[in-house]
Amino acid sequence: MKRILTFIAAALFASAAFAQTASGGGVESLDSYADTRSITKTVEDKFASYHPKAKNVTIEYEWTPLTGELRFYYTCLAASFDQGEAMNTAMAFFEDFAAEQKYKHYSYKAKDKTKYFKDGPARKTTYVSYVLFTR
């Protein structure tokens, strides 16, 4: 019985000593590797040539640097929405973003979605694309 208690006490002491040295300075924290939060930004519309019919276009994205995931949101008036133009704008945005962040490839994580909703008197459409960037 004394051996078991001595062994448990030694194990607790060793684990406490290891935990203090690991948090002291030898191991970097998770924050130093990458940001775990998602970053949401509205982008200026420099892709206007890809969607000439669409009116009042808003481009937003959610970027998670730790995992390399990006959600792309393309919102415009429903009357001027064209699925092909939204897809072309998304692909141009992905190519530009990949070059800016020094990624080589991207792949789609889910099927693209189109949502229609009413914002005040105007009907709007949001095109959502979800991709994963890899180096």
Side-chain angles (χ1 to χ4, degrees), residues 3 11 14 27 35 41 44 49:
R3 288 184 186 173
V27 178
D35 192 5
K41 290 186 180 178
E44 64 181 61
S49 62

PDB file of all heavy atoms in Angstrom, residues 3 11 14 27 35 41 44 49:
ATOM      1  N   ARG A   3       3.841   1.538  -1.233  1.00  0.00           N
ATOM      2  CA  ARG A   3       4.456   1.674  -2.552  1.00  0.00           C
ATOM      3  C   ARG A   3       3.508   2.366  -3.527  1.00  0.00           C
ATOM      4  O   ARG A   3       3.919   3.199  -4.328  1.00  0.00           O
ATOM      5  CB  ARG A   3       4.847   0.312  -3.098  1.00  0.00           C
ATOM      6  CG  ARG A   3       6.013  -0.291  -2.422  1.00  0.00           C
ATOM      7  CD  ARG A   3       6.369  -1.587  -3.092  1.00  0.00           C
ATOM      8  NE  ARG A   3       7.428  -2.248  -2.350  1.00  0.00           N
ATOM      9  CZ  ARG A   3       7.860  -3.446  -2.606  1.00  0.00           C
ATOM     10  NH1 ARG A   3       7.308  -4.144  -3.594  1.00  0.00           N
ATOM     11  NH2 ARG A   3       8.828  -3.978  -1.903  1.00  0.00           N
ATOM     12  N   ALA A  11       4.254  10.537  -9.147  1.00  0.00           N
ATOM     13  CA  ALA A  11       3.670  10.848 -10.443  1.00  0.00           C
ATOM     14  C   ALA A  11       3.046  12.236 -10.441  1.00  0.00           C
ATOM     15  O   ALA A  11       3.189  13.012 -11.392  1.00  0.00           O
ATOM     16  CB  ALA A  11       2.631   9.794 -10.824  1.00  0.00           C
ATOM     17  N   ALA A  14       5.890  14.817 -10.432  1.00  0.00           N
ATOM     18  CA  ALA A  14       6.544  14.901 -11.742  1.00  0.00           C
ATOM     19  C   ALA A  14       5.666  15.628 -12.753  1.00  0.00           C
ATOM     20  O   ALA A  14       6.152  16.443 -13.548  1.00  0.00           O
ATOM     21  CB  ALA A  14       6.886  13.507 -12.242  1.00  0.00           C
ATOM     22  N   VAL A  27       7.657  26.194 -24.566  1.00  0.00           N
ATOM     23  CA  VAL A  27       6.613  25.889 -25.533  1.00  0.00           C
ATOM     24  C   VAL A  27       5.877  27.171 -25.888  1.00  0.00           C
ATOM     25  O   VAL A  27       5.498  27.935 -25.014  1.00  0.00           O
ATOM     26  CB  VAL A  27       5.624  24.853 -24.942  1.00  0.00           C
ATOM     27  CG1 VAL A  27       4.499  24.571 -25.912  1.00  0.00           C
ATOM     28  CG2 VAL A  27       6.350  23.584 -24.589  1.00  0.00           C
ATOM     29  N   ASP A  35      -4.089  32.714 -35.824  1.00  0.00           N
ATOM     30  CA  ASP A  35      -5.280  33.256 -35.199  1.00  0.00           C
ATOM     31  C   ASP A  35      -6.401  32.240 -35.342  1.00  0.00           C
ATOM     32  O   ASP A  35      -6.696  31.777 -36.431  1.00  0.00           O
ATOM     33  CB  ASP A  35      -5.651  34.575 -35.886  1.00  0.00           C
ATOM     34  CG  ASP A  35      -6.694  35.345 -35.131  1.00  0.00           C
ATOM     35  OD1 ASP A  35      -7.071  34.905 -34.027  1.00  0.00           O
ATOM     36  OD2 ASP A  35      -7.123  36.377 -35.638  1.00  0.00           O
ATOM     37  N   LYS A  41     -14.715  40.340 -43.385  1.00  0.00           N
ATOM     38  CA  LYS A  41     -14.430  41.628 -44.028  1.00  0.00           C
ATOM     39  C   LYS A  41     -15.348  41.845 -45.214  1.00  0.00           C
ATOM     40  O   LYS A  41     -15.742  40.900 -45.892  1.00  0.00           O
ATOM     41  CB  LYS A  41     -12.988  41.682 -44.526  1.00  0.00           C
ATOM     42  CG  LYS A  41     -11.950  41.742 -43.447  1.00  0.00           C
ATOM     43  CD  LYS A  41     -10.582  41.936 -44.030  1.00  0.00           C
ATOM     44  CE  LYS A  41      -9.541  42.002 -42.939  1.00  0.00           C
ATOM     45  NZ  LYS A  41      -8.194  42.152 -43.472  1.00  0.00           N
ATOM     46  N   GLU A  44     -13.952  45.825 -51.199  1.00  0.00           N
ATOM     47  CA  GLU A  44     -14.341  46.751 -52.266  1.00  0.00           C
ATOM     48  C   GLU A  44     -14.542  45.953 -53.544  1.00  0.00           C
ATOM     49  O   GLU A  44     -13.897  44.928 -53.760  1.00  0.00           O
ATOM     50  CB  GLU A  44     -13.281  47.822 -52.457  1.00  0.00           C
ATOM     51  CG  GLU A  44     -11.944  47.264 -52.933  1.00  0.00           C
ATOM     52  CD  GLU A  44     -10.890  48.336 -53.099  1.00  0.00           C
ATOM     53  OE1 GLU A  44     -10.566  48.982 -52.109  1.00  0.00           O
ATOM     54  OE2 GLU A  44     -10.428  48.499 -54.232  1.00  0.00           O
ATOM     55  N   SER A  49     -16.004  43.855 -63.368  1.00  0.00           N
ATOM     56  CA  SER A  49     -16.022  43.370 -64.756  1.00  0.00           C
ATOM     57  C   SER A  49     -16.575  41.947 -64.856  1.00  0.00           C
ATOM     58  O   SER A  49     -16.996  41.520 -65.924  1.00  0.00           O
ATOM     59  CB  SER A  49     -14.610  43.422 -65.343  1.00  0.00           C
ATOM     60  OG  SER A  49     -13.745  42.566 -64.615  1.00  0.00           O
TER      61      SER A  49
END
